[in-house]
Amino acid sequence: MLGPSRRNAIVAAVSIFLFISLWLGRDQLENTSIGTSIGNKINTFQGVTSKRPAEVDLFLEQVFSVDKPRKHEYPALKYMCDNTVWRPELKDVYIHCVYMFAGMTSIVSQIKVCLKMATETGSNILLPSMPLRDSKVLQEFNLNNADKYLPYDQWFDADHLTEVMGRVCPQIKILRPDQVGPGKIAIKNKWDIDIGKAPGYHQFTSHFWTGRPFKEFFDDQFDELVAKAPKDSLAPPGITQIDIASLFLLFKITDDPTHRDLKLWNEFSLLIRYLKGVRTVAIKLLDEIPRPFYGVHFRVENDTIWSSLETQLSRDLDALDQAWEQFRDDVVVSSGPPKKPPVYLACGDEAAMKKFIEEGEKRGWEVTHKWDLARKHSDQTVVAQIDALAFDFQGAVDQGVMLEASFFLGISGSAFSSTTANARDVTGRYRGSSFTNVVDENARNHLFNDGDASSYACCL
C-alpha cells in the first residue's frame, strides 16, 4: 500500500498534470435496440433526410442503448488477446488502477488507460473506484474525500464490461472490490508500481507507445517485486493486487504505425457503457429532438478556464451560420426550401443557456437543451430524472445526444468536446475541422483551438 505522504504527492502531481493538460494542450450495424432515433434508418425533419455514419450507430448501441446491445465481435480486442504473451506468473495478478478523477470523459479516458495496461501485460483487473466531483463547485474533484468515491458499477455498466471481456478475452479475469477481502477471495499481496520509475519518463507527459511498450516496464517492475517479497508471502492461496496510477493521457495511441492501438482504443470506448439512468434519458431526448439538428458544447460553467461566455457565444453563432451555408446540401429536401435545423446546447449554466437562446434567435436559430426537450416529452418524469443525475452524468446524457448531431461544435481543450468529436469520426479520432477538410467522411466536426490540450490528439 502507498503511504499517506507518497499518496498525497501523487495526487497533487496528477492534479497538476490534469490542469496543465487542459491548458496545453467499427463494424457495420444492421439494426439496433435503441429506438427510432438510431440505426441504419433515414431520419426525417420537415421533409429533410440525413444519415450518420455506421460507426456512430455502433457507438450509440454499445454505450447508450436502453436494452442490452447486440453482441459485437470486438476484433481489435480479440487480436490483442490472441497475441498477448500470457506469463503464468501473472495468472493471479490483478491490476488495481488508482488516482482516476476529474470530469466524466477524462475518467473514461483513464479507464481506457487501465484496460490498455491489463491487456498489454496479460494481467487481470480489480475494478477501480473513482471520486465523483462536486456538481456545484466543479473544481472540487473530491480526491481526498473517501465518501465521494464510487465503485466502477456506480459509474458504468460493469456487467457489460465483464460480459464482453469474458466472451472476447477470457484470459483476463475481472473482480469487483466486494468480491475480495476477509471471508471472500483472499489478497495474499498488496503491491504498487510507480510509473515515475519508467526509464525516460517525465512527469505530466505522455510516455508509452509501441516503440516503448508498457509491458516491458511492467514486467521488470513485477519481477523486482517478486524478488524482494518474502518467499512465504508467495505461497498462500489468493491474488496479488498491484496498485498503479492510471494516469491521464499516458499512452501515445496514434504513434502506432499499424493503427492497432487506435483500433483497440476505439473498442475500449465501446466497453465503457453508461448506467441505465443515463442511457434512458439520452434516448428519450433523442426521440424528442427532430432531425437534422446541430450540436454546440457551450463550455462556460463556473470552472471554465477557456474563453469568456461572450467570445464563445459569438464564434459559436458564426460557426453555426457557416455550417449551414457550407453543408446544407448534406440533406435532401423533398419539398420547399431547406430550413435551419434546431441547435442542441450542452451546457450546465442556466443563465448562459438563456443568453445563447436569445442571441441565437436573433440569427434565426432555434436553440434547445436537455431540460427543454425533457419538458416536451410525453414522459413527464424526464425532467426529474435529469435533475437526479450528478453534473458529470448529465454531461454523459449530452454526449449521447451530440453523437447524432448533423454538425458538432466544441473546444479542443475540453475532454468532452474532443471525446465527442472522436466518436463522431469513422477513424475514432478528430481529424481537424470539417470546414477545411475536403473529405471528412461525414464526421462534421469543428473544435475551436481554445485552451488547447496538446496531448489530446494522440492520447485522449
Side-chain angles (χ1 to χ4, degrees):
M1 293 294 289
L2 299 177
S5 60
R6 185 175 175 193
R7 181 169 59 249
N8 291 339
I10 295 178
V11 166
V14 177
S15 300
I16 296 170
F17 177 41
L18 178 64
F19 185 80
I20 291 175
S21 297
L22 287 170
W23 272 107
L24 301 178
R26 300 184 249 216
D27 290 341
Q28 191 71 17
L29 189 64
E30 294 178 357
N31 51 60
T32 75
S33 60
I34 301 179
T36 57
S37 298
I38 302 168
N40 283 345
K41 299 179 181 180
I42 300 298
N43 297 309
T44 61
F45 165 61
Q46 296 181 350
V48 179
T49 60
S50 64
K51 185 175 183 296
R52 295 295 310 143
E55 287 78 6
V56 177
D57 291 342
L58 175 62
F59 186 99
L60 282 162
E61 182 192 34
Q62 296 295 307
V63 178
F64 283 98
S65 62
V66 176
D67 298 323
K68 187 175 181 179
R70 292 187 313 115
K71 288 185 178 180
H72 179 56
E73 294 304 317
Y74 288 84
L77 176 59
K78 187 178 188 306
Y79 179 91
M80 181 72 178
C81 291
D82 288 347
N83 291 277
T84 293
V85 177
W86 299 94
R87 293 183 60 184
E89 301 93 331
L90 299 179
K91 67 182 178 64
D92 293 319
V93 171
Y94 284 74
I95 288 179
H96 180 232
C97 293
V98 295
Y99 309 123
M100 293 185 287
F101 67 97
M104 176 66 79
T105 46
S106 296
I107 286 177
V108 166
S109 183
Q110 291 165 82
I111 291 171
K112 291 162 75 172
V113 169
C114 186
L115 292 172
K116 182 76 163 67
M117 289 177 173
T119 54
E120 186 174 327
T121 60
S123 304
N124 305 296
I125 300 170
L126 178 60
L127 289 178
S129 297
M130 292 78 67
L132 182 65
R133 68 171 164 179
D134 192 282
S135 290
K136 300 297 182 184
V137 183
L138 301 178
Q139 302 96 325
E140 178 50 73
F141 293 133
N142 288 316
L143 281 165
N144 296 311
N145 188 344
D147 293 337
K148 297 298 182 181
Y149 275 71
L150 302 177
Y152 184 92
D153 60 5
Q154 293 182 33
W155 278 92
F156 306 101
D157 185 344
D159 291 339
H160 176 69
L161 174 64
T162 55
E163 186 279 322
V164 172
M165 292 297 293
R167 173 167 53 87
V168 180
C169 191
Q171 300 94 325
I172 293 179
K173 301 182 290 292
I174 298 178
L175 289 175
R176 308 184 193 207
D178 60 4
Q179 293 178 290
V180 301
K184 303 174 184 177
I185 298 174
I187 300 176
K188 63 181 179 181
N189 297 300
K190 280 190 177 181
W191 296 338
D192 70 270
I193 288 179
D194 181 2
I195 294 292
K197 292 181 178 180
Y201 176 77
H202 297 285
Q203 209 168 29
F204 315 134
T205 60
S206 303
H207 186 72
F208 297 107
W209 65 293
T210 52
R212 183 160 51 195
F214 174 75
K215 178 177 173 55
E216 290 184 2
F217 165 69
F218 179 88
D219 284 348
D220 288 344
Q221 292 294 301
F222 177 77
D223 290 343
E224 286 186 19
L225 290 167
V226 171
K228 292 177 181 177
K231 298 306 178 186
D232 58 354
S233 72
L234 303 176
I239 68 170
T240 293
Q241 172 184 322
I242 297 183
D243 287 356
I244 187 165
S246 187
L247 298 178
F248 191 44
L249 311 175
L250 183 64
F251 287 100
K252 298 180 179 180
I253 300 303
T254 58
D255 280 11
D256 172 17
T258 69
H259 303 303
R260 291 195 189 102
D261 274 355
L262 178 55
K263 292 174 183 176
L264 179 65
W265 201 250
N266 292 341
E267 289 187 0
F268 285 161
S269 297
L270 306 181
L271 288 173
I272 305 169
R273 177 172 163 85
Y274 290 117
L275 295 176
K276 189 169 185 178
V278 170
R279 304 191 318 257
T280 300
V281 172
I283 299 311
K284 286 181 178 178
L285 299 186
L286 281 170
D287 284 340
E288 189 64 35
I289 191 167
R291 305 301 197 280
F293 67 93
Y294 290 168
V296 176
H297 183 207
F298 196 38
R299 191 60 172 93
V300 294
E301 292 86 356
N302 60 37
D303 66 328
T304 184
I305 58 174
W306 298 282
S307 295
S308 66
L309 182 152
E310 291 76 14
T311 297
Q312 290 191 44
L313 174 60
S314 175
R315 72 186 184 196
D316 283 340
L317 290 173
D318 287 346
L320 286 171
D321 290 341
Q322 182 177 351
W324 179 240
E325 289 301 318
Q326 192 167 337
F327 297 109
R328 69 174 69 191
D329 290 340
D330 280 355
V331 297
V332 178
V333 183
S334 58
S335 63
K339 179 183 177 181
K340 283 184 176 180
V343 175
Y344 181 88
L345 199 64
C347 181
D349 187 304
E350 186 176 355
M353 289 192 295
K354 182 179 180 182
K355 179 70 171 176
F356 199 110
I357 291 169
E358 292 172 349
E359 294 301 313
E361 186 177 4
K362 295 177 182 177
R363 298 204 196 185
W365 292 105
E366 177 191 349
V367 181
T368 188
H369 48 76
K370 52 183 169 284
W371 286 282
D372 187 27
L373 290 175
R375 283 189 287 268
K376 296 176 181 177
H377 200 280
S378 58
D379 181 355
Q380 294 299 300
T381 68
V382 181
V383 172
Q385 291 172 30
I386 294 174
D387 291 340
L389 296 173
F391 176 84
D392 280 305
F393 290 95
Q394 291 181 0
V397 169
D398 283 332
Q399 183 190 25
V401 177
M402 288 299 189
L403 291 169
E404 273 268 285
S406 294
F407 201 95
F408 171 69
L409 298 172
I411 56 179
S412 58
S414 161
F416 175 95
S417 288
S418 294
T419 299
T420 301
N422 287 344
R424 288 169 51 83
D425 196 295
V426 298
T427 65
R429 290 279 107 179
Y430 173 61
R431 68 179 68 194
S433 174
S434 294
F435 289 142
T436 54
N437 275 315
V438 177
V439 178
D440 75 346
E441 297 178 85
N442 204 35
R444 299 299 189 259
N445 293 313
H446 176 79
L447 300 183
F448 294 98
N449 290 308
D450 189 336
D452 192 20
S454 59
S455 294
Y456 280 10
C458 74
C459 314
L460 183 66

